[in-house]
Amino acid sequence: MRSMRNRLVAVLGSLALAGAAAAQAPQARIGFDWIWSDEGKSAAAVPKHAWLETGHVLLYDTRLPKKERTLESYDPATGSRTKLVDAARAVANIAAASGLAPDELGWPDAIDPQGRWAAYEKDDALVVLDLRGGDCARVGGPGAKGKSARFSPDGKKLAFVRDNDLYAYDLETQRAQRLTTSGSATLLNGTLSWVYWEEVFGREDLGYWWSPDSRAVAYLQTDESGVSISRFVDFEPATPRVIEQRYPKSGEPNPQVRAGVVDLATARTIWVDLGAHPYEYLARVQWLPDGKRLAVQTLDRPQTSLDLYLADAATGSVEHLFRETDPGWVNLHDDLRFLRTRSELLWVSERDGYAHFYLYGLDGRLIRQVTKGAWATRASASVSWLRQAGASLDEKDGWLYFTAHEKASIEEHLYRTRLDGTGMQRLTKQDGVHRIRFSPDGRHYLDAHSSSDRLPSLSLHRADGTPVRAVAEPRPEMLKRFDLRPRELFTIPARDGFAMPAMLLRPRDFDAKRRYPVVIYVYGGPSAPTVSRSWAGSPRDYYEHILSDEGFAVLRVDNRASTAQSKKLENLILRDGSGTVELNDLLDGVKWLKSQSWVDPERVGIWGWSGGGSYTLLAMTSSKEFRAGIAGAPVSDWRYYDTKWAESLMKRPEDNPEGYRKTSHAARAKDLHGRLMLVHGTYDDNVHPQNTWRFTDELITAGITLDMMIYPMRKHDMRDDAAQKHLYRTMLEFWKRNLSAR
């Protein structure tokens, strides 16, 4: 009862604020041109930042006009900011070295730990910028190719990949040393195949790792000759080019991957010997602090067993430490930390249903569970499946610093606890989401914070949470003229009482006596929430304000598996991805929505992208609740998606034939209810266009008409401004046509 009363107070307060704002008669509204303008892109930004080994911070402030942006050094002791290079000169030098003409300097693709060098990758060109004066050189000389650059820990060398072989470049002599020679179209050294890039390493080409002493490089070698080929047809030239991609579909062969260590002095590789330990995925490689051993993680095909090994870098021999298991699938993470002062390691496990830290000995013996409770350690990342909660480790005083959802599943805070599991404290006090980066010495951290009613800021703190100073304040004045209404955060009860996080944006000039159309945005999938107590400043978020200005309400509601609250909830969709559990929760949310007196129950739409596109197809083929929907880049049948992701939820088709049959949206296309628009890019190398072609063909067979928007040669995220702007304008027109007053 108390939570319902608090929720009512919050909603009434939000309505009062909305009413007061409406009375001010604002002069401007957010528009599509503004969203993709420089001002729109930077309105909710904080400076890009990275700690250096010197204790300073490298900054690049995108809040400044493009011509004024440059790399700066921030001194935490004084708060002073010093320009490192003249941006115009640096841009001119990069252009001369690469043959391209960037419109601004931009954030580097790699940074020397000491802050002397920065590397930029421009198409096939790799250039190194000297931050002492702005001189620039193309790695390998004129016309040379290079990608996936990373500086050595001592800052003297730069590793990179060229034509699928690994190289080391001496920054002083400007000479490149070839470390591998076997690279080919299907044998990759130090660079990743698509399925590893996307699903294992979270969209980062992380295929090699420098040793702590900068004398060796551990790397992955990938043989993808047995992986099936998918093809994409361009519209240029007159006889269009055909692009090939190695992409393993569910049930098909994966690339074969092994790990090796190449010594720079000899260019000789020692392979990690896992011959006695069969595996499907080589999921992680990490140097131990002593630089003599590697931690290697492998995963089996069902993804229910993960093994951790220690490998001798000099001989390749391995020692098995322990095995992590899960009845559904084991989530990969980057929370393996080796202590420097004693033979122990920290590891995150979900064995009790929640992601928590555990302390192990280097003999594989479990010492204790460090964090406990009905909540998960968690940190925001570029993709939901890239997980790392550990922020810092103070071995001297015995503190582990980490981020978690302990206060609320829609918030993220910094905590610390003793390694014996005692004395846990929450260090961040302001409501919302805190994204934390600690200094290399662990004495300070930067906090990029925002909440649903506070734009992002960047601030410096001592390790115990004590504020030092603001680095970048929030800028509410950037959006003040638009008079944005607050979003209401609350929960909607599912049929069994589960509280589903929800977020509602009402129409501008809301009148409770009227009835409004509603657009529901969804994503779904395991631990991928759409509801958060953070500032909503993406193009999609601003687009929702445009919908509000046009008289639509916008609702987001997270099904239980997507809330990121626990592994127990994730496992509910095992063998039934985009299926019954997700559908029932969504329909319970819709039931609540349609019970509101101000909602027109006959004018409810649904849309989503990728997993959200699949969720939209599920909703519109398995219910009659939606008048219209937009499915962007949807998976229409799990057989068309990649091995790693599809099989984590569904296992192989031969292991779960009934599950694949039940969850095939294409097979249910004949049951489509409501007007559907399908959207896809023809070069979508993530969710292949065949998903949309198959669903469309089934609609044709059933005699069902539809709308469609195809974006030529765009990939999954369609990042170019023209395509994004066109997409959101097209969707707005669709909603106006199909959710207009009856």
Side-chain angles (χ1 to χ4, degrees):
M1 182 65 72
R2 180 179 300 171
S3 62
M4 293 180 63
R5 184 165 58 248
N6 290 341
R7 188 177 70 189
L8 179 61
V9 170
V11 170
L12 291 175
S14 297
L15 290 175
L17 287 173
Q24 295 175 5
Q27 300 301 308
R29 293 286 183 265
I30 280 183
F32 293 108
D33 289 336
W34 181 87
I35 293 174
W36 282 276
S37 68
D38 287 344
E39 182 181 275
K41 292 177 181 178
S42 65
V46 297
K48 296 183 179 181
H49 52 281
W51 285 97
L52 302 173
E53 294 290 343
T54 61
H56 285 64
V57 179
L58 190 70
L59 294 180
Y60 189 79
D61 198 344
T62 57
R63 310 188 332 166
L64 298 172
K66 281 188 177 182
K67 292 184 178 180
E68 299 178 22
R69 300 173 189 172
T70 189
L71 293 171
E72 301 175 75
S73 176
Y74 176 82
D75 185 351
T78 64
S80 62
R81 291 167 61 161
T82 305
K83 291 185 178 181
L84 293 175
V85 294
D86 177 86
R89 180 172 183 268
V91 167
N93 289 342
I94 290 175
S98 67
L100 303 171
D103 59 353
E104 65 171 307
L105 180 57
W107 184 249
D109 293 289
I111 302 164
D112 158 33
Q114 281 72 43
R116 177 182 171 184
W117 307 96
Y120 290 86
E121 298 177 23
K122 304 293 182 182
D123 289 344
D124 289 332
L126 172 61
V127 299
V128 175
L129 180 69
D130 189 338
L131 298 183
R132 295 177 303 180
D135 292 337
C136 185
R138 182 163 181 161
V139 174
K145 298 180 180 180
K147 67 170 188 174
S148 307
R150 286 182 186 82
F151 289 95
S152 60
D154 64 9
K156 295 180 179 180
K157 291 182 171 62
L158 178 74
F160 67 95
V161 175
R162 177 189 297 159
D163 296 330
N164 293 331
D165 271 317
L166 189 61
Y167 289 74
Y169 177 78
D170 189 294
L171 292 162
E172 290 297 335
T173 65
Q174 297 188 0
R175 298 182 63 179
Q177 175 191 6
R178 189 171 182 174
L179 301 178
T180 65
T181 59
S182 59
S184 69
T186 57
L187 193 66
L188 319 180
N189 294 300
T191 185
L192 302 175
S193 63
W194 183 88
V195 73
Y196 270 69
W197 173 84
E198 170 74 16
E199 309 293 16
V200 178
F201 290 101
R203 300 179 182 172
E204 184 178 5
D205 194 17
L206 189 60
Y208 67 86
W209 302 265
W210 279 100
S211 64
D213 61 8
S214 302
R215 295 180 178 178
V217 178
Y219 69 99
L220 298 183
Q221 184 185 80
T222 300
D223 180 357
E224 56 177 2
S225 59
V227 178
S228 62
I229 299 174
S230 294
R231 295 176 174 87
F232 307 86
V233 180
D234 200 348
F235 58 85
E236 294 286 0
T239 299
R241 66 171 179 151
V242 177
I243 302 170
E244 293 188 345
Q245 177 198 19
R246 298 276 179 172
Y247 183 111
K249 298 291 173 75
S250 180
E252 294 183 348
N254 270 312
Q256 297 179 3
V257 182
R258 62 175 176 169
V261 178
V262 59
D263 182 84
L264 268 64
T266 64
R268 175 171 173 258
T269 293
I270 299 297
W271 296 105
V272 174
D273 183 7
L274 290 168
H277 310 279
Y279 61 91
E280 185 70 24
Y281 299 97
L282 206 162
R284 291 290 187 272
V285 174
Q286 179 178 333
W287 287 92
L288 270 68
D290 61 15
K292 298 178 181 179
R293 292 172 292 176
L294 300 166
V296 178
Q297 299 179 40
T298 65
L299 195 62
D300 64 355
R301 182 78 186 231
Q303 303 176 51
T304 54
S305 295
L306 182 147
D307 289 286
L308 178 62
Y309 302 90
L310 292 186
D312 188 304
T315 67
S317 62
V318 300
E319 171 191 357
H320 183 262
L321 285 191
F322 59 79
R323 172 172 291 177
E324 186 73 38
T325 63
D326 189 277
W329 64 91
V330 177
N331 282 314
L332 299 177
H333 62 75
D334 290 298
D335 275 316
L336 171 60
R337 288 176 175 261
F338 291 92
L339 280 67
R340 294 177 177 272
T341 57
R342 56 194 201 227
S343 299
E344 294 173 351
L345 64 87
L346 283 163
W347 172 259
V348 164
S349 170
E350 295 178 299
R351 66 192 59 176
D352 69 355
Y354 301 89
H356 282 299
F357 281 92
Y358 292 77
L359 186 67
Y360 277 85
L362 286 190
D363 58 0
R365 175 179 55 89
L366 175 62
I367 298 173
R368 72 177 67 92
Q369 184 173 353
V370 178
T371 62
K372 297 179 181 180
W375 46 270
T377 60
R378 179 86 172 182
S380 297
S382 57
V383 292
S384 63
W385 55 96
L386 190 62
R387 306 183 184 204
Q388 182 177 358
S392 184
L393 178 60
D394 178 357
E395 293 186 46
K396 179 181 177 182
D397 293 328
W399 289 111
L400 168 66
Y401 294 82
F402 62 95
T403 51
H405 289 181
E406 183 270 344
K407 180 176 180 287
S409 67
I410 61 172
E411 298 193 28
E412 188 174 298
H413 287 274
L414 175 66
Y415 298 81
R416 71 176 181 179
T417 186
R418 298 286 185 185
L419 290 179
D420 64 5
T422 64
M424 191 173 106
Q425 304 169 310
R426 177 160 61 90
L427 301 179
T428 47
K429 305 304 180 185
Q430 292 176 298
D431 290 348
V433 170
H434 298 261
R435 294 173 179 172
I436 306 298
R437 290 188 180 181
F438 266 82
S439 61
D441 63 10
R443 296 174 59 189
H444 294 87
Y445 65 84
L446 289 168
D447 180 2
H449 166 258
S450 76
S451 63
S452 51
D453 59 355
R454 188 176 189 271
L455 272 76
S457 64
L458 185 65
S459 55
L460 178 70
H461 299 255
R462 295 189 181 91
D464 63 3
T466 303
V468 177
R469 67 177 61 87
V471 179
E473 296 278 11
R475 301 187 297 171
E477 68 277 5
M478 298 289 290
L479 298 170
K480 186 176 181 180
R481 68 185 184 278
F482 297 129
D483 183 29
L484 303 182
R485 274 94 48 241
R487 300 166 189 262
E488 301 161 32
L489 289 165
F490 56 102
T491 60
I492 296 174
R495 63 193 64 185
D496 62 354
F498 181 85
M500 298 184 292
M503 185 161 61
L504 176 67
L505 181 63
R506 296 179 188 251
R508 183 176 292 280
D509 302 327
F510 176 77
D511 181 352
K513 296 179 182 179
R514 291 181 54 191
R515 286 199 160 192
Y516 295 92
V518 183
V519 174
I520 302 176
Y521 171 74
V522 295
Y523 183 79
S527 290
T530 64
V531 178
S532 172
R533 186 170 276 126
S534 59
W535 179 258
S538 71
R540 184 184 67 238
D541 298 317
Y542 290 138
Y543 165 70
E544 292 181 352
H545 284 284
I546 291 178
L547 288 175
S548 174
D549 290 342
E550 294 286 347
F552 296 90
V554 181
L555 176 71
R556 302 185 197 182
V557 57
D558 288 331
N559 69 73
R560 66 194 69 201
S562 69
T563 58
Q565 294 179 15
S566 78
K567 189 59 164 63
K568 295 177 182 178
L569 297 177
E570 283 189 31
N571 283 356
L572 293 175
I573 63 174
L574 178 63
R575 296 176 174 262
D576 191 29
S578 291
T580 306
V581 171
E582 292 153 290
L583 177 65
N584 287 343
D585 282 352
L586 174 63
L587 295 183
D588 289 346
V590 173
K591 180 180 179 180
W592 173 89
L593 177 71
K594 291 186 175 183
S595 71
Q596 306 305 299
S597 61
W598 54 270
V599 171
D600 185 340
E602 299 301 320
R603 290 192 291 158
V604 176
I606 183 172
W607 86 280
W609 197 267
S610 191
S614 305
Y615 207 173
T616 297
L617 295 184
L618 169 68
M620 296 185 70
T621 59
S622 302
S623 79
K624 298 181 179 180
E625 298 292 341
F626 304 97
R627 185 171 178 177
I630 301 171
V635 174
S636 65
D637 191 303
W638 282 116
R639 292 175 301 168
Y640 300 154
Y641 204 51
D642 72 70
T643 49
K644 175 66 177 66
W645 184 266
E647 292 178 12
S648 65
L649 308 180
M650 300 295 296
K651 309 312 170 190
R652 296 178 304 172
E654 58 264 42
D655 301 324
N656 184 22
E658 180 62 14
Y660 277 79
R661 185 194 66 79
K662 287 172 53 182
T663 58
S664 173
H665 310 311
R668 293 191 308 274
K670 64 183 183 302
D671 300 321
L672 180 73
H673 185 272
R675 187 69 180 186
L676 174 67
M677 181 166 76
L678 283 170
V679 183
H680 225 118
T682 65
Y683 189 14
D684 190 332
D685 58 353
N686 183 335
V687 180
H688 288 170
Q690 77 181 113
N691 286 275
T692 284
W693 304 156
R694 166 74 193 285
F695 195 89
T696 301
D697 191 61
E698 295 291 343
L699 291 181
I700 292 170
T701 300
I704 300 173
T705 58
L706 76 156
D707 294 277
M708 183 178 290
M709 186 63 230
I710 297 301
Y711 287 88
M713 295 310 294
R714 266 65 174 197
K715 289 190 175 184
H716 191 60
D717 292 336
M718 293 201 301
R719 293 187 179 276
D720 64 291
D721 292 353
Q724 286 270 313
K725 192 185 301 185
H726 188 278
L727 169 64
Y728 282 100
R729 280 179 167 152
T730 300
M731 291 197 298
L732 178 60
E733 292 176 1
F734 177 85
W735 297 128
K736 286 182 175 180
R737 287 196 308 270
N738 292 284
L739 297 184
S740 60
R742 290 175 296 151

